[in-house]
Amino acid sequence: VLAKPADLEAVAGPSAFVQEVTEVKHYTDRLFKFRTTRPAAFRFRSGEFVMIGLLIDGKPLYRAYSIASPSWDEELEFFSIKVPDGPLTQHLQKIQPGDALLLKKKPTGTLVNDALTPGKRVYMFSTGTGIAPFASLIRDPETYEKFDQVILTHTCREVAELRYGEELVEATKNDPLIGELASEKLVHYTSVTREDFPRQGRITDLIESGKLFTDLGVPPLDPAIDRGMICGSMEMLRDTKALLEKAGLNEGANNKPGEFVVERAFVG
Ligand code: A2P
C-alpha cells in the first residue's frame, strides 16, 4: 500500500495534496512520530488537525491527525498511535522516508489560542498521543505572547511513552526562535499510571487531590486567570472537563472564545 509520490497524484483529487515522508521515529510498540514535506500553500493555526490518508486496496483512506509542528515550521510533524488492526495505522506504521501520503487541504480544530479568552496561565492537559496539538502550540510564539505561564501535562501508561514529549520540550527550550520564551514560561508536568515513576496517577486524580497545584506552587484553578486545553481519550476529556467546570471555567469554541477547549486524540 505504500506508494511513491507520483503514484498518488492520480487519486489525490482537488481536495488533497500529495506529500513525502522525510523522517520516521518509533518510540514504543504503540507510538511513533513522522515528518513530511509541507506544501507552500498549506496554512493552519497551531493546534489544528488535518486528514491524512494512504491508498488502501485502491481507495484513499483518511484519518484525522493533529498537526504537531508549529505553523512556522517548513515541514509537518505528526505523533501517532499504532493499532495492530487499525484500518489506517496498521499500514501507516510501516512508512519510511521517501514514501508518499495524502494530506487534505483544509485543517480545522478547536485547540487554538483564538478559542480562549485572555488569561495568565494556560494548562494543556494531555494523555497519550493527545500531546500532539500541544507540541504545535508550545512551539508557537503566540502562545507565549498570550500567557505568562504554559503548563503542559502529559500522562501515559508507561514511562517510555513520555519520551516524545521529553525530547520535544528539551528541543523547544533550546530552539533559536522560541527557546528563551519557552525556558521562561513553559512547565512540563509528567505522570505515569501503570509503571513505577517519580510521579504516578491520572491527571484527573492529581487535579482533584490538589497535588498538581502544590507540585507547581500555584493556586487552585481560578476562572479569572486560568485557561485550559484538553486532549486525550473520550473518557479523559469527559472527566477532565467536569473538573474544569466544577472550578468555574466555561467551554469555548472558535466562534465563542471561553476559558477552556476540548478535542479528542484520534485513534485507528
Ligand atoms: P490508566 O492507566 O489508569 O488507564 P490511553 O492510552 O488508554 O488513552 O491512556 C493514556 C493515559 O490516560 C493513561 O495513563 C490512562 O490511565 C489515562 N486515562 C485513561 N482514562 C482516563 C480518564 N478517564 N481520566 C484521566 N486519565 C485517564
Side-chain angles (χ1 to χ4, degrees):
V1 297
L2 299 175
K4 294 296 161 200
D7 307 330
L8 283 187
E9 290 295 349
V11 296
S15 65
F17 297 111
V18 177
Q19 295 301 304
E20 194 170 319
V21 177
T22 57
E23 186 190 329
V24 181
K25 180 166 179 180
H26 293 266
Y27 288 90
T28 69
D29 57 0
R30 292 208 312 145
L31 296 173
F32 74 114
K33 93 165 172 194
F34 57 97
R35 292 177 68 88
T36 73
T37 53
R38 173 179 176 178
F42 183 73
R43 294 268 169 269
F44 65 99
R45 293 181 296 171
S46 296
E48 288 189 313
F49 67 85
V50 66
M51 307 300 287
I52 284 186
L54 292 176
L55 193 61
I56 292 164
D57 298 331
K59 278 191 247 149
L61 178 72
Y62 287 94
R63 287 289 182 269
Y65 272 89
S66 286
I67 303 166
S69 45
S71 50
W72 50 261
D73 199 331
E74 59 189 36
E75 287 189 338
L76 297 172
E77 179 174 310
F78 303 93
F79 185 47
S80 178
I81 195 131
K82 302 181 229 179
V83 181
D85 53 0
L88 184 70
T89 64
Q90 64 171 299
H91 304 294
L92 191 63
Q93 64 179 278
K94 297 182 190 135
I95 52 168
Q96 302 281 345
D99 288 339
L101 44 75
L102 296 159
L103 176 81
K104 286 276 189 188
K105 292 184 177 175
K106 285 230 179 311
T108 186
T110 57
L111 296 183
V112 292
N113 280 315
D114 291 347
L116 292 178
T117 51
K120 274 176 86 168
R121 186 181 295 123
V122 63
Y123 287 91
M124 299 174 174
F125 297 108
S126 70
T127 54
T129 57
I131 193 173
F134 305 135
S136 175
L137 283 159
I138 65 164
R139 291 185 271 185
D140 189 333
E142 196 187 297
T143 304
Y144 300 102
E145 278 159 31
K146 188 154 179 170
F147 298 102
D148 295 340
Q149 202 177 18
V150 178
I151 297 164
L152 170 63
T153 85
H154 193 206
T155 303
C156 293
R157 298 180 187 186
E158 296 170 13
V159 180
E161 295 174 335
L162 295 176
R163 171 68 57 180
Y164 171 78
E166 284 163 350
E167 287 179 5
L168 163 78
V169 169
E170 200 194 318
T172 301
K173 290 189 171 180
N174 289 316
D175 183 273
L177 180 69
I178 41 143
E180 205 170 318
L181 279 171
S183 300
E184 189 190 323
K185 299 187 172 188
L186 175 63
V187 179
H188 187 210
Y189 185 92
T190 51
S191 70
V192 166
T193 50
R194 302 192 192 184
E195 262 185 6
D196 273 349
F197 191 66
R199 189 180 299 116
Q200 285 187 287
R202 290 183 171 194
I203 192 62
T204 41
D205 294 333
L206 295 162
I207 295 172
E208 264 195 301
S209 69
K211 183 168 164 47
L212 171 66
F213 311 107
T214 39
D215 285 350
L216 294 170
V218 299
L221 289 172
D222 176 353
I225 56 172
D226 290 323
R227 300 292 169 262
M229 297 177 136
I230 318 174
C231 191
S233 64
M234 288 307 272
E235 296 73 27
M236 179 273 191
L237 299 187
R238 182 197 60 209
D239 295 350
T240 310
K241 174 179 157 146
L243 292 171
L244 298 195
E245 286 177 336
K246 198 169 138 195
L249 281 73
N250 295 303
E251 186 170 357
N254 271 299
N255 56 0
K256 190 177 173 292
E259 286 136 17
F260 75 92
V261 282
V262 170
E263 200 142 77
R264 185 175 184 195
F266 312 99
V267 291

